Amino acid sequence: PRAVTVQFDPDYDGVAEAGGRHIRISANYVAGNPHDIDVIVHEAFHLVQAYRFEGSPGWAVEGLADFVRWAYGTRNANACWVMQRYEPGQSLTDGYGVTARFLLWLVTEVEPGLVRSLDAALREGEYNEGFWSARTGRSIDQLWAEYADAPTHRPVSYE
């Protein structure tokens, strides 16, 4: 969309949501987190994603949005928002920062263009489990296992 409406809603119980050309943010969340302006980056990316196809996994949708927040956010540090560190028991399907950190590892250690390719596959309705093997030679489960086995691999910076 070329124009977006941002609404601060005192009655909204969540943090934020986006759809069409509209972003709604909880006024209560903003009052408690006044420096977190990059929540708008996350939500705006959902508008850019505009995935129209059934089967877009939620973990990928939210992980990509947090990856973009990390990459393009300008005030993440002031909002005390950082990429989540890997912890045993996490799953790539946890979404948000857990998946975003996995995506960061993938583009750093495995395939630099993987995030753009994933977004394109989701946008074009071409995503399936074969996506990972076709681009990396490994399944998503193999990639996650490799990532989980070496959580200190670069990138170790979370700024």
Side-chain angles (χ1 to χ4, degrees):
R2 297 182 90 58
V4 174
T5 301
V6 177
Q7 173 190 12
F8 296 93
D9 186 345
D11 297 321
Y12 180 56
D13 290 333
V15 173
E17 65 179 3
R21 298 182 323 159
H22 184 81
I23 296 172
R24 179 168 66 156
I25 302 171
S26 166
N28 294 326
Y29 176 78
V30 172
N33 302 276
H35 298 291
D36 190 4
I37 62 171
D38 288 328
V39 69
I40 295 174
V41 174
H42 174 105
E43 295 304 325
F45 188 67
H46 286 318
L47 301 181
V48 171
Q49 286 171 312
Y51 301 147
R52 301 178 310 258
F53 301 97
E54 294 288 323
S56 296
W59 60 266
V61 172
E62 296 299 343
L64 284 165
D66 263 6
F67 180 89
V68 167
R69 177 187 171 130
W70 170 82
Y72 296 103
T74 61
R75 304 266 317 219
N76 286 323
N78 291 349
C80 298
W81 185 93
V82 295
M83 191 80 72
Q84 293 177 3
R85 294 180 183 274
Y86 173 79
E87 297 290 336
Q90 289 177 336
S91 168
L92 74 103
T93 60
D94 289 345
Y96 297 94
V98 172
T99 302
R101 171 102 187 341
F102 175 57
L103 293 173
L104 179 58
W105 176 82
L106 285 168
V107 298
T108 304
E109 298 290 326
V110 178
E111 174 63 43
L114 201 58
V115 166
R116 287 186 188 271
S117 295
L118 175 60
D119 178 56
L122 290 165
R123 193 179 306 266
E124 295 163 14
E126 296 175 356
Y127 176 80
N128 59 52
E129 290 297 316
F131 169 88
W132 304 98
S133 296
R135 284 159 183 83
T136 69
R138 296 173 287 221
S139 72
I140 186 77
D141 292 332
Q142 290 170 320
L143 290 164
W144 179 262
E146 183 179 335
Y147 167 71
D149 284 345
T152 58
H153 274 188
R154 290 182 43 86
V156 294
S157 172
Y158 293 87
E159 286 86 39

